[in-house]
Amino acid sequence: MAEKNIREVLGSKSEGINAHLFSIDALCKGFDTNVDTGLTEEQAKENLKKYGPNKMKNMPECTMVKRVNEWKKIMTEDLVPGDIVLLEGDSGNFGTISGDIRIVNIMEPVHVESYFLYKEHLNFLKEMTVEQTSEDPIETSNLIFHGTSLFAGRCIGMVFQTGENMLLSDVSHELLATPELPDSDDEESEGFFKRLGHGIRD
C-alpha cells in the first residue's frame, strides 16, 4: 500500500482520478480522440481553451504527440488532455513526463522512477502495465504521472490531465527529488541499472 505520508501530501487530489478504470475505447470517446490518429489541430485548440496551457516547472520544452495521424513535436505548454504521446527512455537517461498519462500500448518494458510514490519498490522503480492493477490511482500500474521519470522502456499513452490538474503538480521539488545514494551503495545501484537496461535492450 502507498505510505500514509503520500496521502497526507496529496490530500483529496487523487480521488477524482478514474482514467485507469475505463477501457481505452471509453477514454477515447470521453476525450473525443483516437489512439491511431490522435487529435486534430482544431480539437487540440479547443482543448487548450478548455483546459488551459500545460505550464509547470521542470517541463521539457517539447513533447512528441500524434496529431492528424502524424507524430510531431509540439511545445509542451500546448499539450492537452486527449493527446496521444510517445514516451521513450534509455537505460541511465531519465525521461521527463509532461502530463498525467494512461498507458495505451507498451512496446518495450516500461520502468518508472519515483522516490515519492514508489519508496517501497527496489531502487524506487516500478514496472508499468497496460492493464489496471488496482482501483486506487496511486497503486495501479497503468498510469504515469508528471513528476516521475521514465527510466527505461517505450510506450504510447493518452494524456488525461495537464497543468495544475496533474496529481503531483502541488508537490514540492524537494519531496519529488530522489536522494543521492550513499557511496557504498553506488556500485550496487549502478550494477542493477546496467542489468535492467541490458535486459530491456535484449
Side-chain angles (χ1 to χ4, degrees):
M1 294 294 292
E3 293 183 5
K4 184 178 180 181
N5 64 340
I6 294 177
R7 310 288 178 178
E8 292 174 347
V9 172
L10 295 178
S12 62
K13 199 159 189 180
S14 66
E15 295 177 4
I17 296 177
N18 57 14
H20 58 303
L21 301 175
F22 294 98
S23 68
I24 301 300
D25 287 342
L27 281 180
C28 284
K29 290 179 181 178
F31 288 107
D32 193 21
T33 189
N34 185 298
V35 172
D36 296 322
T37 60
L39 295 172
T40 66
E41 294 299 339
E42 290 184 1
Q43 288 174 315
K45 289 179 180 178
E46 287 300 316
N47 284 359
L48 190 60
K49 292 178 182 178
K50 181 178 180 180
Y51 298 103
N54 185 34
K55 289 185 177 181
M56 294 294 298
K57 293 181 180 180
N58 302 317
M59 287 281 209
E61 183 178 5
C62 297
T63 299
M64 183 70 74
V65 303
K66 180 170 275 192
R67 297 258 178 98
V68 199
N69 201 31
E70 290 186 0
W71 290 106
K72 60 184 294 187
K73 284 186 177 181
I74 64 167
M75 300 299 292
T76 297
E77 66 181 49
D78 293 331
L79 187 72
V80 296
D83 262 326
I84 304 302
V85 295
L86 176 64
L87 302 179
E88 294 183 292
D90 293 319
S91 180
N93 296 322
F94 288 76
T96 303
I97 310 301
S98 300
D100 287 352
I101 295 165
R102 162 69 183 273
I103 298 174
V104 171
N105 182 33
I106 292 178
M107 293 84 84
E108 298 176 11
V110 172
H111 293 80
V112 171
E113 185 269 354
S114 174
Y115 176 74
F116 179 69
L117 290 179
Y118 308 137
K119 284 181 183 177
E120 297 178 355
H121 292 256
L122 179 63
N123 291 297
F124 321 126
L125 290 172
K126 180 176 181 178
E127 183 169 3
M128 313 309 286
T129 63
V130 174
E131 297 79 18
Q132 171 196 344
T133 57
S134 171
E135 292 188 359
D136 187 332
I138 297 175
E139 299 287 348
T140 191
S141 298
N142 62 346
L143 299 182
I144 303 179
F145 299 104
H146 166 70
T148 66
S149 297
L150 182 65
F151 175 73
R154 190 166 181 259
C155 69
I156 291 173
M158 182 189 302
V159 178
F160 67 91
Q161 290 187 148
T162 55
E164 296 181 354
N165 292 321
M166 295 185 292
L167 177 67
L168 304 180
S169 63
D170 298 327
V171 181
S172 69
H173 177 70
E174 288 72 21
L175 287 177
L176 293 177
T178 301
E180 293 185 8
L181 294 172
D183 291 341
S184 60
D185 294 336
D186 284 350
E187 291 185 4
E188 180 180 352
S189 176
E190 183 179 355
F192 169 80
F193 289 147
K194 285 182 178 178
R195 291 194 300 274
L196 175 64
H198 177 74
I200 290 175
R201 285 194 299 272
D202 292 347

